[in-house]
Amino acid sequence: QKMSKRYFINNLNTYVGQALMKELYSEDPDAEDQNLILGTYIDQDSSEKLKGVKKMLKRSKPRLSRKYMAESDVLIYDLHSGNPEDIEKGIEALKTVPEDEEKTLILISSVASWAATPPKMKSLKGE
């Protein structure tokens, strides 16, 4: 049985943001388990909502945005089109949530994103 969740999607007007919306939003207005979608635009500060979006958050109002992000069950960031500062704001919002509340942070990336990361394991010579 599916239960509705409150999702925050960073940069809703990108390809990944639109694909997530398609998966998370039901066109059925009578659906009992309709997810609530909140989000931001990648290149503008507008409250104009896309279809299926409950609220668009403005980067120019970080305190209000943090409040809504903290109330979300799932925060989703696309590292391809996102700004690392956006992710920091999401983490700041999660730090305000009581420890017993379960929240999920999803970071979408590619192998290329991690190519420059130094390996944590070092091979031992002679083995």
mmCIF file of all heavy atoms in Angstrom, residues 80 108-117:
data_model
loop_
_atom_site.group_PDB
_atom_site.id
_atom_site.type_symbol
_atom_site.label_atom_id
_atom_site.label_comp_id
_atom_site.label_asym_id
_atom_site.label_seq_id
_atom_site.Cartn_x
_atom_site.Cartn_y
_atom_site.Cartn_z
ATOM 1 N N HIS A 80 23.983 16.967 -11.557
ATOM 2 C CA HIS A 80 24.330 17.360 -12.925
ATOM 3 C C HIS A 80 24.035 18.836 -13.168
ATOM 4 O O HIS A 80 24.807 19.543 -13.791
ATOM 5 C CB HIS A 80 23.550 16.531 -13.950
ATOM 6 C CG HIS A 80 23.854 15.082 -13.899
ATOM 7 N ND1 HIS A 80 22.987 14.165 -13.379
ATOM 8 C CD2 HIS A 80 24.947 14.388 -14.278
ATOM 9 C CE1 HIS A 80 23.523 12.973 -13.452
ATOM 10 N NE2 HIS A 80 24.713 13.073 -13.988
ATOM 11 N N ILE A 108 21.481 12.738 -6.999
ATOM 12 C CA ILE A 108 21.572 12.077 -8.289
ATOM 13 C C ILE A 108 22.863 12.521 -8.964
ATOM 14 O O ILE A 108 23.106 13.710 -9.109
ATOM 15 C CB ILE A 108 20.359 12.422 -9.172
ATOM 16 C CG1 ILE A 108 19.068 11.971 -8.465
ATOM 17 C CG2 ILE A 108 20.497 11.799 -10.552
ATOM 18 C CD1 ILE A 108 17.815 12.477 -9.111
ATOM 19 N N SER A 109 23.678 11.550 -9.336
ATOM 20 C CA SER A 109 24.957 11.886 -9.975
ATOM 21 C C SER A 109 25.285 10.834 -11.022
ATOM 22 O O SER A 109 24.499 9.946 -11.300
ATOM 23 C CB SER A 109 26.065 11.961 -8.932
ATOM 24 O OG SER A 109 26.322 10.686 -8.387
ATOM 25 N N SER A 110 26.470 10.948 -11.580
ATOM 26 C CA SER A 110 26.952 9.969 -12.549
ATOM 27 C C SER A 110 28.356 9.536 -12.144
ATOM 28 O O SER A 110 28.984 10.162 -11.288
ATOM 29 C CB SER A 110 26.983 10.572 -13.957
ATOM 30 O OG SER A 110 28.006 11.545 -14.018
ATOM 31 N N VAL A 111 28.838 8.512 -12.780
ATOM 32 C CA VAL A 111 30.195 8.044 -12.511
ATOM 33 C C VAL A 111 31.191 9.168 -12.784
ATOM 34 O O VAL A 111 32.163 9.351 -12.047
ATOM 35 C CB VAL A 111 30.518 6.792 -13.360
ATOM 36 C CG1 VAL A 111 31.957 6.386 -13.192
ATOM 37 C CG2 VAL A 111 29.594 5.648 -12.977
ATOM 38 N N ALA A 112 30.935 9.954 -13.808
ATOM 39 C CA ALA A 112 31.839 11.060 -14.151
ATOM 40 C C ALA A 112 31.945 12.075 -13.016
ATOM 41 O O ALA A 112 32.987 12.698 -12.831
ATOM 42 C CB ALA A 112 31.369 11.743 -15.428
ATOM 43 N N SER A 113 30.882 12.222 -12.227
ATOM 44 C CA SER A 113 30.915 13.157 -11.099
ATOM 45 C C SER A 113 31.961 12.760 -10.069
ATOM 46 O O SER A 113 32.494 13.596 -9.357
ATOM 47 C CB SER A 113 29.558 13.197 -10.386
ATOM 48 O OG SER A 113 28.547 13.575 -11.258
ATOM 49 N N TRP A 114 32.218 11.463 -9.975
ATOM 50 C CA TRP A 114 33.099 10.943 -8.930
ATOM 51 C C TRP A 114 34.487 10.592 -9.454
ATOM 52 O O TRP A 114 35.350 10.135 -8.699
ATOM 53 C CB TRP A 114 32.459 9.714 -8.293
ATOM 54 C CG TRP A 114 31.133 10.052 -7.695
ATOM 55 C CD1 TRP A 114 29.911 9.864 -8.264
ATOM 56 C CD2 TRP A 114 30.897 10.701 -6.454
ATOM 57 N NE1 TRP A 114 28.923 10.339 -7.445
ATOM 58 C CE2 TRP A 114 29.505 10.860 -6.320
ATOM 59 C CE3 TRP A 114 31.715 11.174 -5.436
ATOM 60 C CZ2 TRP A 114 28.921 11.461 -5.209
ATOM 61 C CZ3 TRP A 114 31.128 11.768 -4.325
ATOM 62 C CH2 TRP A 114 29.748 11.909 -4.221
ATOM 63 N N ALA A 115 34.752 10.804 -10.715
ATOM 64 C CA ALA A 115 36.019 10.396 -11.324
ATOM 65 C C ALA A 115 37.237 11.034 -10.659
ATOM 66 O O ALA A 115 38.285 10.399 -10.551
ATOM 67 C CB ALA A 115 36.013 10.716 -12.815
ATOM 68 N N ALA A 116 37.105 12.255 -10.191
ATOM 69 C CA ALA A 116 38.250 12.945 -9.592
ATOM 70 C C ALA A 116 38.391 12.668 -8.095
ATOM 71 O O ALA A 116 39.295 13.173 -7.455
ATOM 72 C CB ALA A 116 38.116 14.446 -9.817
ATOM 73 N N THR A 117 37.490 11.872 -7.528
ATOM 74 C CA THR A 117 37.550 11.562 -6.106
ATOM 75 C C THR A 117 38.675 10.570 -5.832
ATOM 76 O O THR A 117 38.743 9.515 -6.466
ATOM 77 C CB THR A 117 36.208 10.944 -5.637
ATOM 78 O OG1 THR A 117 35.168 11.841 -5.986
ATOM 79 C CG2 THR A 117 36.215 10.693 -4.146
#
